[in-house]
């Protein structure tokens, strides 16, 4: 302790630089005892920096390839109809244009093909000669797209996704029926530059020339076909100038009814998914940091315990409590910076590793790079977390005299730190929460997540105290091992708070995610499957409707049929406010305003709906247009009865007044719409019909496929969607997402394991004393192992019970309140949580105990 003598210990001389000198000198002895501290900080920082960097790399990749993804600098989309001549002239004045039509259709094998699955739903794409304006369609055979789609011997060519060939057992050169026409598969699609712009797909891609489309008769008045007009600007402007052109296009043709996008927003759906997933993973990383913060507190508390004599010496020589605090604060910051540096290095490398691992898997190339802003965010989170959990244990040493520090191991050190340290801790935690919520994509969800994490943390502290209180009040057990285990749970300096906190948060998160995943699967595979119809039939023309319904009634006499008129439109304004400028009442609830919505009209209240406010219009109503709105969507948007809603349908803006609100049973997958209009609203408008078919009882798959074949052959222009296939596809997507979430969430469990190991290591010294004394008094190694195993098993089971309760509550809230589903507690999930807790606590506990029991008694007894 050279450089510090009593005469220089006055308050004025105990400066921060002097404290830093002492702190760095003490660290010359190495980092022993702080490896868990450093690992916890590094893990959380790496998770946050890595996730945000990967998200940025994906976003940059989308932006860099925005022209190819969108198919142009600008894209104008219309539904049901093509651009009018004046609109087309306006687009041609902007630059080079390409027209693409997309729709769902049925691809069928020739009628003489005797196969069980002889038809398949496809995502049809009809392109013109200018397609693609940017990028290129790569074909497996190496030929050009124009050559592959050309007409030969009176049959138009087509290129297909490999999945379609596998599904229909096709080969290049085979023909398939498409609507009322026939196309020949001439090549296989290897890559499609604008695939991401199409959104979710229910079938494989089939691409044809737009010249082949009229011969299929698929495009009829009211058919669900989307027309995309891509524009290449010459020269290509910067992003700011591009947004100005977008605004001009909207204001120059306000009645066009088109949806305008620029290359800066090439794939909004994918971008939203990336943002939300990145937010979730960032919160998981933050949870890992919070769990690791418990390890930080444990490590500092254990370190200060070994420094009792040093602190006592400082104070005896005149050091103030503030000076002691500054010494160990500097040490903590240095150690935290070591962990943060390691985490930042790992986080900076993660985008490069992800880009290499996902090469060829993602539809867009990641722009792997080192992103200083994202790394800075990881540094900020890491430093604030370290401070939040270090200030409390460091602050306790401020005013405690040397004698009390010597007694701390006996008394348990329950004294709170000074108010300044309590306030600093609270401010640091609040700052962490503000940053997390401010930077979140969905601030409401981020707030709920952080509130739940904070509540779980507080509850775990209370649970630990309750466990100790109950253990203290239990009557004396006859079993020596059990009596010793219970005593270890509540004794001064017990490991109970550390173990419960270490495992509790990690297990709670895992249980919540497992239950959410399980309930979503149950809804998809059981509840929805039981209620859902077997088929959706789309694009039934008005003149075909009665005959089509008669065919279904004859082929499936015991099935339930439902039919409604259907149009597509998009909301352009609410109460006179443009949808682009409208701010929903709830964050993240503006999904109704994005894209096109299915709409219908009806004289009576539809099935699967319940009127909750307002009245339904009379069957012969002929006044101003009225609309019935989904109650939940109206609440999210802040709408009420009497408000005005304007939608663009078939190029016309129609304004209707909200007459009533209704609850919709979306889980049934029956015909449901957010908006149902009064019949007079669309009088005379061309439209198609939507029909569903479902059986009360399960029917064999063969019967479903036979019906599908009959309908497809009789009405080739009608698109049939088999619900079982759609559910299976969504279920596969949920499964992949669930595995990704579980893998990411395992970061929290790893942090929990690290903290648990640190907690057990922190109690190593006191356990050695206990084991030596007990062995001296005649306890055998086997008896001590049983006692310690019982102690760890009790703590593990108790923590698992809490995790099940807290995780179940969190999952119930997400499923019932956010996703509006039904919740069921799953016993296997509970058993899994209990098993994980037992394996970790008993396993790590016994590993440490085995080492403790091997200590020689003599050296320990001499130092007592």
């Amino acid at each position: 302790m050279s450089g510090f003598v009593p005469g220089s210990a006055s308050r004025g001389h105990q400066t921060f630089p002097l404290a830093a000198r002492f702190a760095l000198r003490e660290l010359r002895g190495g980092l022993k005892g702080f490896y868990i501290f450093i690992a916890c900080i590094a893990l959380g920082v790496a998770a946050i920096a890595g996730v945000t960097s990967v998200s940025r790399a994906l976003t940059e990749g989308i932006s860099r390839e925005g022209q190819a993804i969108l198919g142009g600098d600008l894209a104008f989309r219309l539904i049901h109809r093509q651009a009018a001549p004046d609109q087309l002239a306006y687009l041609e004045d902007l630059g080079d244009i390409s027209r693409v039509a997309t729709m769902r259709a049925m691809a069928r094998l020739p009628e003489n093909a005797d196969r069980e699955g002889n038809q398949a739903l496809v995502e049809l794409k009809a392109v013109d000669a200018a397609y693609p304006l940017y990028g290129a369609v790569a074909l497996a055979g190496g030929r050009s797209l124009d050559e592959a789609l050309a007409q030969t011997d009176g049959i138009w060519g087509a290129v297909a996704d490999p999945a379609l060939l596998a599904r229909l057992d096709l080969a290049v050169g085979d023909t398939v029926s498409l609507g009322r026409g026939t196309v020949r598969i001439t090549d296989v699609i290897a890559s499609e530059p604008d695939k991401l712009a199409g959104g979710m797909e229910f079938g494989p891609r089939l691409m044809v020339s737009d010249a082949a489309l009229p011969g299929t008769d698929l495009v009829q008045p009211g058919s669900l076909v989307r027309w995309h007009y891509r524009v290449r600007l010459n020269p290509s402007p910067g992003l700011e100038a591009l947004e100005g052109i977008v605004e001009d296009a909207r204001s120059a043709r306000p009645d066009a009814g088109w949806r305008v996008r620029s290359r800066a927003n090439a794939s909004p759906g994918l971008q939203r998914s990336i943002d939300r997933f990145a937010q979730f993973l960032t919160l998981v990383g933050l949870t890992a940091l919070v769990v690791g913060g418990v390890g930080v507190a444990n490590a500092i508390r254990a370190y200060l315990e070994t420094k009792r004599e040093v602190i006592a010496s400082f104070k005896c020589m005149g050091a103030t409590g503030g000076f002691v605090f500054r010494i160990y604060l500097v040490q903590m910051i240095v150690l935290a910076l070591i962990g943060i540096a390691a985490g930042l290095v790992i986080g900076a490398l993660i985008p490069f590793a992800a880009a290499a691992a996902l090469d060829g898997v993602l539809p867009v190339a990641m722009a792997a790079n080192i992103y200083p802003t994202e790394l800075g965010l990881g540094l900020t989170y890491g430093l604030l977390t370290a401070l939040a959990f270090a200030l409390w244990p460091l602050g306790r040493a401020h005013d405690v005299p040397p004698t009390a520090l010597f007694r701390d191991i006996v008394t348990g050190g329950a004294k709170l730190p000074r108010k300044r340290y309590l306030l600093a801790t609270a401010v640091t935690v609040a700052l962490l929460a503000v940053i997390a919520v401010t930077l979140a994509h969905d601030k409401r969800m981020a707030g709920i997540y952080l509130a739940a994490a904070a509540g779980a943390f507080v509850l775990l502290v209370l649970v630990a105290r309750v466990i100790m209180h109950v253990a203290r009040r239990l009557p004396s057990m006859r079993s020596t091992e059990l009596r010793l285990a219970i005593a270890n749970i509540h004794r001064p300096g017990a490991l109970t708070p550390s173990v419960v906190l270490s495992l509790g948060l990690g297990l709670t998160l895992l249980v919540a995610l497992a239950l959410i995943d399980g309930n979503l699967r149950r809804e998809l595979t059981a509840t929805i499957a039981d209620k859902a119809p077997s088929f959706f039939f789309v694009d039934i023309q008005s003149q075909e409707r009665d005959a089509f319904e008669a065919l279904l009634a004859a082929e499936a006499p015991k099935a339930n049929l439902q039919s409604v008129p259907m149009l597509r439109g998009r909301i352009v304004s609410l109460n006179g406010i443009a949808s682009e400028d409208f701010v929903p009442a709830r964050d993240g609830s503006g999904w109704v305003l994005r894209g096109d919505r299915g709409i219908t009209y009806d004289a009576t209240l539809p099935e699967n709906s319940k009127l909750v406010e307002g009245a339904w219009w009379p069957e012969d109503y002929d006044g101003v247009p009225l609309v019935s709105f989904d109650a939940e969507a109206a609440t999210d948007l802040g709408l009420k009865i009497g408000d005005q809603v304007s939608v663009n349908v078939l190029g016309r803006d129609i304004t209707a007044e909200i007459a009533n609100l209704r609850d919709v049973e979306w889980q049934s997958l029956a015909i449901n719409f957010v908006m149902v209009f009064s019949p007079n609203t669309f009088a005379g408008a061309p439209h198609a019909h939507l029909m569903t078919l479902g059986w009360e009882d399960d029917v064999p798959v063969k019967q479903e496929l036979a019906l599908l074949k009959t309908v497809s052959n009789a009405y080739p222009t009608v698109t049939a969607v088999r619900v079982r296939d759609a559910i299976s596809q969504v279920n596969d997507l949920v499964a992949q997402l669930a595995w990704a979430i579980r893998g990411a969430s395992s970061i929290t469990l790893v942090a929990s394991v690290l903290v648990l190991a640190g907690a057990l290591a922190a109690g190593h010294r006191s356990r050695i004393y206990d084991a030596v004394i007990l062995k001296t008094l005649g306890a055998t190694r086997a008896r001590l192992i049983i006692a310690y195993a019982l102690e760890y098993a009790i703590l593990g089971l108790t923590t698992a019970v809490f995790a099940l309760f807290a995780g179940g509550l969190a999952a119930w809230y997400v499923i019932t309140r956010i996703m509006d589903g039904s919740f069921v507690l799953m016993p296997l999930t509970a058993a899994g949580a209990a098993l994980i807790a037992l394996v970790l606590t008993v396993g790590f506990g016994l590993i440490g105990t085995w080492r403790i029991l091997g200590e020689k008694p003599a050296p320990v007894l001499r130092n007592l």
Side-chain angles (χ1 to χ4, degrees):
M1 294 192 297
S2 59
F4 185 87
V5 294
S8 65
S10 63
R11 186 178 301 272
H13 288 84
Q14 295 177 25
T15 60
F16 197 88
L18 181 61
R21 284 172 54 197
F22 275 92
L24 295 176
R25 285 177 182 176
E26 277 204 75
L27 286 177
R28 290 175 183 173
L31 302 177
K32 185 178 180 181
F34 280 101
Y35 295 121
I36 300 295
F37 177 120
I38 294 171
C40 289
I41 294 295
L43 183 66
V45 170
I48 291 175
V51 164
T52 52
S53 294
V54 168
S55 172
R56 175 76 179 275
L58 284 168
T59 301
E60 292 288 332
I62 293 173
S63 177
R64 187 174 62 188
E65 298 182 24
Q67 289 173 320
I69 293 172
L70 187 67
D73 293 303
L74 297 173
F76 298 77
R77 188 182 71 186
L78 293 166
I79 193 165
H80 293 306
R81 63 187 179 86
Q82 299 186 52
D86 61 318
Q87 296 166 354
L88 193 59
Y90 172 78
L91 297 179
E92 289 173 340
D93 288 341
L94 291 176
D96 302 326
I97 67 169
S98 170
R99 186 188 69 176
V100 175
T102 59
M103 63 187 304
R104 293 188 175 101
M106 301 300 295
R108 309 181 316 282
L109 297 176
E111 292 190 28
N112 58 359
D114 187 17
R115 302 177 192 170
E116 183 174 322
N118 69 337
Q119 63 280 311
L121 178 71
V122 295
E123 300 285 345
L124 181 64
K125 186 173 187 176
V127 301
D128 63 4
Y131 171 86
L133 294 176
Y134 291 100
V137 176
L139 302 179
R143 66 174 71 187
S144 69
L145 182 63
D146 288 341
E147 181 185 358
L149 301 185
Q151 189 179 38
T152 304
D153 298 330
I155 300 178
W156 289 98
V159 293
D161 189 281
L164 179 61
L165 273 64
R167 191 169 300 178
L168 294 181
D169 193 21
L170 292 170
V172 172
D174 290 345
T175 60
V176 293
S177 297
L178 188 65
R180 301 189 190 280
T182 301
V183 296
R184 176 177 285 111
I185 305 297
T186 57
D187 216 324
V188 178
I189 300 173
S191 68
E192 182 183 349
D194 55 340
K195 187 177 180 65
L196 280 178
M200 187 172 181
E201 297 179 346
F202 286 101
R205 169 74 72 215
L206 182 64
M207 190 181 299
V208 299
S209 167
D210 63 347
L213 200 56
T216 64
D217 278 348
L218 289 172
V219 180
Q220 300 288 334
S223 293
L224 189 53
V225 55
R226 293 178 174 87
W227 298 92
H228 308 263
Y229 295 84
R230 281 80 177 270
V231 180
R232 178 171 56 201
L233 303 174
N234 296 310
S236 183
L239 293 181
E240 186 174 341
L242 189 62
E243 288 307 309
I245 296 174
V246 170
E247 291 303 317
D248 289 343
R250 288 171 178 156
S251 57
R253 293 289 188 277
D255 58 344
W258 50 35
R259 196 82 168 184
V260 188
R261 289 215 318 259
S262 74
R263 68 172 188 267
N265 190 28
S267 183
L270 177 61
Q271 187 60 60
R272 282 193 298 271
S273 298
I274 291 172
D275 290 342
R276 288 197 176 104
F277 198 58
Q279 175 189 328
F280 168 77
L281 293 182
T282 301
L283 292 175
V284 168
L286 189 57
T287 304
L289 267 179
V290 172
V291 173
V294 178
V296 169
N298 288 340
I300 292 176
R301 191 176 295 112
Y303 180 67
L304 291 176
E305 180 62 32
T306 65
K307 293 295 180 180
R308 292 199 318 272
E309 294 83 357
V310 176
I311 295 173
S313 299
F314 278 147
K315 290 201 168 185
C316 289
M317 297 176 71
T320 64
F323 184 73
V324 171
F325 171 82
R326 287 193 290 274
I327 289 175
Y328 293 104
L329 178 64
V330 170
Q331 289 188 9
M332 184 278 303
I333 292 175
V334 170
L335 293 167
L337 288 176
I338 293 173
I340 289 170
L344 291 179
V345 170
I346 297 171
L349 294 176
I350 286 177
F352 296 95
L358 299 175
D359 184 32
V361 176
L362 292 176
V364 60
M366 291 176 58
N369 206 337
I370 294 176
Y371 297 104
T373 302
E374 282 65 26
L375 297 180
L377 182 63
L379 186 151
T380 302
Y381 275 132
L383 198 55
L384 286 176
T385 302
L387 282 172
F389 284 89
L391 289 173
W392 187 293
L394 289 175
R396 284 184 53 215
H398 184 281
D399 286 329
V400 183
T403 54
L405 282 172
F406 281 114
R407 291 196 305 269
D408 200 36
I409 191 169
V410 177
T411 62
K415 185 176 179 180
L416 294 175
R418 279 191 167 199
K419 290 182 180 179
R420 72 177 74 169
Y421 302 116
L422 294 176
L423 180 61
T425 301
V427 169
T428 308
V429 172
L431 188 58
L432 260 176
V434 168
I435 292 174
V437 172
T438 303
L439 298 180
H441 179 77
D442 187 335
K443 294 178 175 54
R444 175 172 169 265
M445 284 300 301
I448 292 173
Y449 185 97
L450 291 178
F457 188 86
V458 172
L459 282 175
L460 283 167
V461 174
L462 294 176
V463 166
R465 292 183 178 275
V466 169
I467 292 172
M468 297 176 72
H469 177 79
V470 171
R472 194 177 295 115
R473 295 292 186 273
L474 286 175
S476 180
M477 301 292 173
R478 298 186 63 179
S479 169
T480 304
E481 294 84 355
L482 185 57
R483 188 165 63 249
L484 181 58
I486 293 174
N488 283 340
I489 289 173
H490 68 77
R491 66 174 186 156
L495 294 176
T496 303
S498 298
V499 172
V500 172
L501 278 172
S502 302
L503 277 180
L505 282 175
L507 282 178
T508 298
L509 180 62
L510 286 180
V511 168
L513 292 174
L515 286 173
I516 291 171
D517 172 43
N519 276 276
L520 285 177
R521 286 173 172 278
R522 183 186 58 83
E523 286 280 349
L524 284 170
T525 59
T527 307
I528 290 180
D530 290 342
K531 296 179 181 179
S534 298
F535 289 100
F536 277 80
F537 298 102
V538 186
D539 284 344
I540 305 170
Q541 297 302 308
S542 296
Q543 66 272 18
E544 297 177 331
R545 179 187 172 281
D546 292 340
F548 187 84
E549 187 171 0
L551 174 65
L552 292 180
E555 294 292 328
K558 296 182 179 180
N560 297 320
L561 299 176
Q562 187 180 4
S563 174
V564 295
M566 191 180 99
L567 302 92
R568 299 288 293 187
R570 67 179 183 89
I571 297 177
V572 293
S573 67
L574 297 170
N575 291 324
I577 303 173
S579 59
E580 293 85 358
D581 303 323
F582 189 85
V583 180
R586 296 181 182 175
D587 288 342
S589 60
W591 61 271
V592 176
L593 304 179
R594 293 193 293 266
D596 303 311
R597 301 261 75 82
I599 57 179
T600 188
Y601 60 84
D602 208 328
T604 59
L605 180 68
E607 296 182 21
N608 305 304
S609 295
K610 178 182 178 183
L611 209 60
V612 295
E613 189 177 350
W616 200 263
W617 43 81
E619 291 191 24
D620 56 352
Y621 178 77
D622 194 25
V624 297
L626 299 177
V627 61
S628 173
F629 219 88
D630 171 45
E632 184 178 4
T635 301
D636 290 343
L637 294 172
L639 300 176
K640 60 184 184 302
I641 291 178
D643 286 348
Q644 302 290 317
V645 178
S646 295
V647 295
N648 186 279
V649 181
L650 297 171
R652 291 179 53 206
D653 285 351
I654 298 173
T655 300
E657 179 182 310
I658 297 179
N660 58 71
L661 303 177
R662 70 194 195 288
D663 279 336
V664 179
E665 189 182 347
W666 296 106
Q667 293 88 345
S668 67
L669 288 189
I671 299 179
N672 291 309
F673 296 87
V674 172
M675 294 174 287
V676 179
F677 289 81
S678 55
N680 64 309
T681 307
F682 300 111
H687 60 78
H689 292 262
L690 170 68
M691 194 173 294
T692 62
L693 178 145
W695 285 274
E696 291 289 343
D697 302 318
D698 289 339
V699 298
V701 173
K702 190 173 183 178
Q703 184 176 345
E704 286 189 349
L705 295 178
L707 176 65
L708 181 59
K709 180 178 180 179
T710 300
V711 170
S712 298
N713 290 331
Y715 292 91
T717 60
V718 172
T719 301
V721 180
R722 188 165 173 255
V723 174
R724 188 174 304 192
D725 293 336
I727 290 177
S728 176
Q729 182 175 349
V730 174
N731 200 24
D732 290 342
L733 183 63
V734 170
Q736 294 172 4
L737 187 63
W739 278 112
I741 290 174
R742 288 171 189 165
S745 302
S746 63
I747 294 171
T748 306
L749 190 59
V750 171
S752 297
V753 171
L754 286 172
V755 177
L756 176 62
L760 295 171
H764 182 71
R765 183 178 178 183
S766 61
R767 286 298 168 109
I768 289 177
Y769 288 140
D770 291 345
V772 167
I773 297 276
L774 290 170
K775 287 172 68 176
T776 303
L777 294 175
T780 63
R781 177 174 292 194
R783 179 163 285 182
L784 290 177
I785 288 177
I786 293 172
Y788 288 139
L790 286 172
E791 175 191 353
Y792 299 134
I794 292 171
L795 292 179
L797 278 174
T798 308
T799 305
V801 170
F802 170 82
L804 179 62
F805 173 78
L809 187 64
W812 168 83
Y813 182 85
V814 171
I815 292 292
T816 61
R817 294 292 182 266
I818 297 177
M819 298 182 176
D820 199 25
S822 60
F823 177 80
V824 173
L825 188 63
M826 300 177 174
L828 288 179
T829 301
L835 183 62
I836 292 173
L838 279 176
V839 169
L840 292 177
T841 51
V842 176
F844 276 96
L846 291 183
I847 290 171
T849 299
W850 190 262
R851 292 176 52 213
I852 288 169
L853 295 179
E855 294 285 341
K856 300 294 184 183
V860 177
L861 292 173
R862 278 197 299 268
N863 291 321
L864 286 176

